Amino acid sequence: MDTPADKHALRKQLVEQRLNLPDRLQRADLLQRVMRIWLVGRPDTVIGAYWPIKGEFDPLPALHRWKEDGELLDQPQLRRIGLPVVDKLHKTLKFHAWFPGCPMEEDAYGIPKPKDTEVIVPTLLFVPCVGYGPGGYRLGYGGGFYDRTLAKLAPRPYTVGLGFTCGFVPELDPEPHDVPLDAILNDNGVVWPVG
């Protein structure tokens, strides 16, 4: 899979496959559980995520539960969730605070984003995977927003890909600018790191 046309065809195939999963709701429920368990004990208090599109896994219910759980600790923690807002000039993402019921508006791509909430800097970032392969590499939609954003964020957040088992691509060849994720979770558990 060397050419952009090959990757374009693979993206299209994987999105179609994901949209047509007969058991997508059951898989999503399993991944919600994996994500909630994986978050237990993490020190992060600011997590970036995404608004799901094209049949992507929705991380927001698990994150809202994580946020609420922080208030129930012996020493309550203020936990925050951020959703991406495109910076058109730099073609990067900034994360604005999100909470259930916050005012939303569509971005230039028709994806809901928080309206007029403050910019927050996540220490942990959940990213959607159209596909993912060995070594923690992900296949996105090809816009490069996450790669450019991660190259500029300092300190770099811990990055975790989220996807379904059908998104695994054993022959995924990373490009020179691709940065591997720190972890990948799917409906079966932790995929990366393997050990």
Side-chain angles (χ1 to χ4, degrees), residues 86-97:
V86 174
D87 177 335
K88 292 179 197 162
L89 180 64
H90 299 102
K91 295 192 184 300
T92 56
L93 304 170
K94 290 183 178 170
F95 291 84
H96 286 245

Side-chain angles (χ1 to χ4, degrees), residues 1-22:
M1 176 187 355
D2 306 78
T3 70
D6 291 342
K7 279 202 172 170
H8 178 75
L10 178 62
R11 282 185 188 98
K12 187 174 180 185
Q13 174 192 340
L14 289 170
V15 168
E16 286 294 318
Q17 185 179 10
R18 184 171 67 200
L19 285 168
N20 293 310
L21 280 173

Side-chain angles (χ1 to χ4, degrees), residues 52-153:
I53 60 171
K54 300 179 183 179
E56 290 172 341
F57 168 73
D58 184 355
L60 298 175
L63 286 176
H64 181 59
R65 179 116 174 236
W66 163 83
K67 183 181 183 303
E68 288 182 326
D69 288 349
E71 298 162 11
L72 301 174
L73 297 172
D74 290 337
Q75 297 178 341
Q77 284 182 340
L78 174 62
R79 294 177 172 179
R80 312 209 51 210
I81 303 164
L83 290 181
V85 174
V86 174
D87 177 335
K88 292 179 197 162
L89 180 64
H90 299 102
K91 295 192 184 300
T92 56
L93 304 170
K94 290 183 178 170
F95 291 84
H96 286 245
W98 173 85
F99 50 90
C102 84
M104 301 287 282
E105 63 186 355
E106 286 190 359
D107 68 11
Y109 300 96
I111 301 170
K113 66 176 184 176
K115 181 180 181 181
D116 303 326
T117 61
E118 70 181 286
V119 174
I120 59 177
V121 180
T123 58
L124 172 62
L125 182 58
F126 284 109
V127 296
C129 295
V130 174
Y132 55 91
Y137 289 98
R138 85 182 258 278
L139 180 68
Y141 293 104
F145 287 102
Y146 280 100
D147 291 323
R148 282 190 295 276
T149 300
L150 291 173
K152 291 187 185 282
L153 280 178

